[in-house]
Amino acid sequence: MAESDGQERTEQPTEQRLRQAREKGQIPRSKELGTAAVLLSAAAGLLMLSGPLGRAMSRVFEQNFRVERAVLFDPQTMMPALTDSLVSLMWPLLGLFAIVLVAALVGNSLLGGFNFSTQAMMPKLSKMSPLKGIKRMFGVQALVELLKSVAKVVFIATLAVWLLWSQFENILRLSNETLPAAMVGALELLLWMGLLLCLALLPIVAIDVPFQRWNHTRQLKMTLQEIKDEYKNTEGKPEVKGRIRRLQQEMANRRMMAEVPTADVVVVNPSHYSVALRYDKDKPGSAPVVVAKGLDEIALKIREIAREYEVPVISSPALARAVYHSTKLDREIPEGLFVAVAQILAYVFQLNSWRKGQGRKPVPLKEDLPIPDEYKV
């Protein structure tokens, strides 16, 4: 089916398209499935309730055909007789109606499920358009429904004629039976023939259900442009999303930079990496935490803030790369880097004490800090 812009509906409907269609009441339905469920349940219900229903009918016949002459001509007895007849038939018929009601609800919801849509209940002027009504009458869907109805009538009629022909001798034999036996035999024969005719609907249902699924999907198929537009409306335009990501990244960087002055040391690779570490000595069992890290321009900014707030900056390229790639922001460093970081912190703490005149000048750090091979980058 071509769109106005020339594109064809070649793509399967998206989840959003299916959800919107369901909200509008556009779901796959099979009338044949609902009809078969109702008829089969009615036939099965009559077979199951044939005993109680037959006994109730016998009581009604006895009450209404065995009456005295005085009662027959008394108008006051009409309503009590009608009430007694209705009460006698009420319980078997209520059971039958309950079976048929449940079957109607279940059968009509097996395909597409239960769905309540207020949008489908709203009046639409497009449904009142004569031109669109004619188009629907002579469309592909109407043609399929016509062919299906004709095939169904031919199939059921053929089966009914075959059943009557095969049971012709049994039907004639009923005329030789006495009245109660003839009635029972006739009812039993009608019920079984009705059940077989209802079972004949199953092949029609087996064809109609897959067709309704396919037709529903076909009607909801989308063009490539529709999928792109839906993605833009749902996820946002790429340029807008990019702008949002940049703003979020800038906010995160500002928060991260605010933590640099609280660091104990900034470990750098002079060219590209900067990692700010903070260690809480008053918290037993804690490990150094990465409070800021970055590459290139962000790394340079971290170093600038560190120098501004007199946070020691130590050059250790291998350790800076290892911490950057192994530890997320606001997380403790892995156990494998404890020894190397401990040497850095010990040097920084001794350096701070020496600057305050409380100790001797620390020995310069070695360049080959102990870094496990799995953390080397």
Side-chain angles (χ1 to χ4, degrees), residues 19-48:
R19 184 175 64 256
Q20 291 175 347
R22 191 173 186 85
E23 291 174 355
K24 296 177 182 178
Q26 189 177 356
I27 55 177
R29 286 291 190 222
S30 173
K31 296 179 181 178
E32 310 305 329
L33 179 60
T35 302
V38 170
L39 292 178
L40 282 172
S41 65
L46 284 173
L47 285 174
M48 289 187 297

Side-chain angles (χ1 to χ4, degrees), residues 182-200:
M183 182 178 294
V184 172
L187 289 174
E188 183 177 357
L189 187 61
L190 284 174
L191 287 175
W192 281 109
M193 290 178 66
L195 181 60
L196 291 175
L197 286 175
C198 294
L199 289 174

